[in-house]
Amino acid sequence: MTHKAGFVNIIGNPNVGKSTLMNAFIGERLSIITSKAQTTRHRILGIVNGEDFQILFSDTPGIIKPAYELQTSMMDFVKSAFEDADVLIYMVEIGERELKDEAFFNKIRNAKVPVLLLLNKIDKSNQEQLEEQVALWKEQVPNAEIYPISALQGFNVKEVFDRIVEILPESPAYYPKDSLTDKPERFFVNEIIREKILLNYDKEIPYAVEIETEEFKEDEKIIRIKAVIMVERDSQKGIIIGHKGAAIKKIGMQAREELEKFFDKQVHIEMFVKVNKDWRNNSYQLKRFGYNQK
């Protein structure tokens, strides 16, 4: 029996549903999801194993024009997704008409690998609008196979998955067959805490925050975690902590509940807030947090 394996990389504008699709393919909640743009900052690998295939899905940050060094690093993750893809998934949503970056768009149109263009959120459209959008994208990206989907409702997700398996190249597995991701536990602790901050705070706060798990100790019954919430200014520190610590306590409770589901084990979490001035434009700090991998 021949074995297939390959990298299937998901790209598109912010908030089109890339993380929802990735989690639907994996059957696990690896990518955090909020309604805010730039929720995904890293390139997150999720692995699906079958008897005769291994698919390495990559969720990537939404394509934007970078305003500071962190965003430049995020776009570097997107560029790397073009370089090693065996299959490219270009994801758009109903009503969208263009990619925000023309250079990326040209890369998609000139890709040497199969391109699947997924038209997401069709549950929010009617038949006439859907037909108009399919015609538009056929003209814009003639090299792509187009699939209308609803990642949230699961419509056409299995059909797309089956098509991916069909067009994967023959290859041995890249990772052990029981692997789910290439990221360590601490990465998911950081992401789950960051998600709760995205959901609970407005304006600049979520974008000025980075999480660092300083301690992750697991024994038979419990996981003990110490995590630091980094902010850029003293005023942001006060907002994160809240009046008499109420805001950070709420974040801690929500994160603990999510982490217990994720690890299927009791979790004890302690969180602290530190000011790390201008970390988003500091190359050393970005490298430390897993960005700027060049």
Side-chain angles (χ1 to χ4, degrees):
M1 186 190 292
T2 58
H3 189 278
K4 294 179 165 190
F7 289 84
V8 178
N9 301 340
I10 308 168
I11 58 171
N13 286 337
N15 270 29
V16 294
K18 298 183 297 297
S19 296
T20 304
L21 178 71
M22 163 99 156
N23 291 340
F25 281 147
I26 305 297
E28 297 279 349
R29 200 167 167 282
L30 291 186
S31 288
I32 64 172
I33 299 165
T34 77
S35 60
K36 289 187 169 78
Q38 298 168 53
T39 296
T40 302
R41 284 181 179 170
H42 293 263
R43 185 176 167 189
I44 300 166
L45 193 70
I47 303 166
V48 179
N49 293 291
E51 193 179 333
D52 57 350
F53 68 85
Q54 182 178 79
I55 309 175
L56 304 120
F57 287 106
S58 270
D59 185 13
T60 61
I63 293 169
I64 53 172
K65 291 206 182 299
Y68 41 85
E69 188 140 353
L70 169 64
Q71 292 181 335
T72 301
S73 179
M74 286 160 60
M75 292 309 95
D76 287 340
F77 287 130
V78 181
K79 286 175 191 166
S80 73
F82 281 98
E83 288 159 13
D84 63 16
D86 295 296
V87 177
L88 264 178
I89 291 180
Y90 172 35
M91 200 162 180
V92 298
E93 64 178 326
I94 285 286
E96 212 176 333
R97 309 191 83 79
E98 61 186 3
L99 196 64
K100 287 191 169 68
D101 188 301
E102 192 62 29
F104 280 128
F105 207 9
N106 286 330
K107 281 187 175 186
I108 294 162
R109 283 190 284 228
N110 297 307
K112 301 283 190 283
V113 297
V115 177
L116 305 183
L117 191 150
L118 306 188
L119 186 52
N120 192 29
K121 305 184 185 179
I122 63 162
D123 45 308
K124 296 181 177 177
S125 72
N126 56 43
Q127 190 63 31
E128 188 182 343
Q129 187 185 18
L130 180 58
E131 287 173 7
E132 183 269 329
Q133 288 270 283
V134 169
L136 168 83
W137 287 110
K138 268 186 181 163
E139 191 180 327
Q140 292 263 45
V141 194
N143 56 315
E145 295 179 31
I146 298 176
Y147 290 85
I149 70 160
S150 170
L152 194 60
Q153 307 293 335
F155 177 76
N156 247 1
V157 170
K158 185 181 183 303
E159 287 73 8
V160 173
F161 185 91
D162 291 345
R163 180 60 181 145
I164 290 166
V165 174
E166 279 177 24
I167 59 182
L168 276 181
E170 285 187 20
S171 168
Y174 288 91
Y175 287 84
K177 281 292 201 136
D178 58 354
S179 300
L180 179 65
T181 182
D182 65 335
K183 299 288 187 196
E185 286 100 338
R186 288 174 191 235
F187 174 84
F188 295 103
V189 174
N190 298 346
E191 287 290 273
I192 285 168
I193 295 170
R194 194 166 64 82
E195 178 190 54
K196 302 312 170 195
I197 290 168
L198 278 158
L199 292 169
N200 282 279
Y201 297 88
D202 291 323
K203 298 175 183 166
E204 178 64 10
I205 293 289
Y207 303 105
V209 161
E210 184 60 55
I211 315 299
E212 186 172 42
T213 297
E214 289 190 335
E215 205 171 279
F216 185 98
K217 290 182 178 172
E218 184 171 9
D219 61 33
E220 208 174 310
K221 291 185 178 173
I222 193 167
I223 299 170
R224 298 183 191 279
I225 294 165
K226 277 187 184 169
V228 176
I229 300 169
M230 304 280 184
V231 293
E232 290 189 313
R233 295 194 298 277
D234 288 317
S235 59
Q236 294 165 346
K237 180 177 178 177
I239 293 167
I240 290 281
I241 292 169
H243 181 60
K244 293 184 178 177
I248 195 170
K249 188 177 179 185
K250 183 181 177 187
I251 295 295
M253 286 171 59
Q254 291 178 358
R256 180 181 54 77
E257 284 174 15
E258 192 73 43
L259 288 162
E260 286 184 340
K261 275 190 245 167
F262 187 84
F263 291 113
D264 197 22
K265 189 177 273 195
Q266 190 182 343
V267 169
H268 177 267
I269 184 166
E270 288 181 72
M271 294 193 304
F272 309 89
V273 187
K274 286 183 184 173
V275 177
N276 187 342
K277 290 192 189 302
D278 203 30
W279 68 265
R280 286 183 293 178
N281 273 315
N282 184 311
S283 296
Y284 170 76
Q285 296 292 347
L286 287 169
K287 198 155 195 172
R288 186 181 142 208
F289 296 140
Y291 306 101
N292 274 14
Q293 294 298 317
K294 290 177 180 176

